[in-house]
Amino acid sequence: MEIVYRENALTAWQVQQFQQKMGWTVEPLEQWQRAIQNSCCTVAAYDGGELVAMGRLLGDGALYWYLNDVFVLTAYQGQGIGRQVVTRLLEHIQREGLPGTEVSVALFSAQGKEGFYEKMGFQKRPGPEAGHGMEQTLRIG
């Protein structure tokens, strides 16, 4: 097994295939196309051309960045692949951020996966100065 990582190579079709393999709800192709197009950066991990992990970086490119859709196929978890995906997204921020500034990098963790992110320097919210993470789902149309 040789894992190959690629920035900004992720396609909507690959994401849908990934969702099917994981037994998740598959969002419409057009929705994923727009989501990927509007991402600051994507990182995809491939094993023999098959997508086995992915992550997206969202944000304003200056103050606030969000890690999103960090997924690793079950059979590939625990091998450092997710860590590489997150590391490469953080490296993108280092390259593209304004020198001499501090930025916020936030994420929503799947339940039970908080420890993975804590090992990478993330802190649970609420923290000493931060409020609770919140979310709302809107139905469009």
Side-chain angles (χ1 to χ4, degrees):
M1 169 180 72
E2 181 182 344
I3 303 299
V4 175
Y5 298 89
R6 294 192 182 114
E7 272 192 27
N8 301 319
L10 188 63
T11 69
W13 182 84
Q14 290 172 332
V15 175
Q16 284 187 321
Q17 297 303 306
F18 190 97
Q19 289 179 310
Q20 286 178 345
K21 288 177 187 173
M22 295 296 283
W24 298 340
T25 301
V26 178
E27 283 91 10
L29 189 65
E30 183 179 2
Q31 196 172 23
W32 271 116
Q33 287 169 332
R34 189 180 296 183
I36 292 168
Q37 175 185 351
N38 290 330
S39 299
C40 297
C41 179
T42 65
V43 172
Y46 301 93
D47 181 12
E50 175 190 5
L51 180 67
V52 298
M54 62 173 279
R56 295 190 313 129
L57 183 62
L58 312 176
D60 60 22
L63 287 171
Y64 300 102
W65 303 81
Y66 299 90
L67 297 184
N68 215 54
D69 301 324
V70 177
F71 304 135
V72 180
L73 285 179
T74 305
Y76 289 82
Q77 292 178 6
Q79 300 176 42
I81 298 168
R83 175 177 285 282
Q84 270 298 314
V85 168
V86 171
T87 296
R88 289 167 186 260
L89 293 171
L90 295 174
E91 288 171 350
H92 177 86
I93 297 170
Q94 288 289 341
R95 287 191 310 271
E96 299 298 321
L98 296 170
T101 64
E102 290 186 359
V103 302
S104 171
V105 183
L107 60 89
F108 284 106
S109 173
Q111 191 170 11
K113 300 295 184 183
E114 299 89 349
F116 167 80
Y117 293 105
E118 287 177 322
K119 290 177 188 172
M120 299 193 72
F122 288 89
Q123 297 176 349
K124 290 182 184 176
R125 290 185 77 173
E129 297 179 16
H132 293 275
M134 301 178 79
E135 180 179 17
Q136 180 184 64
T137 301
L138 297 175
R139 178 82 180 151
I140 308 298

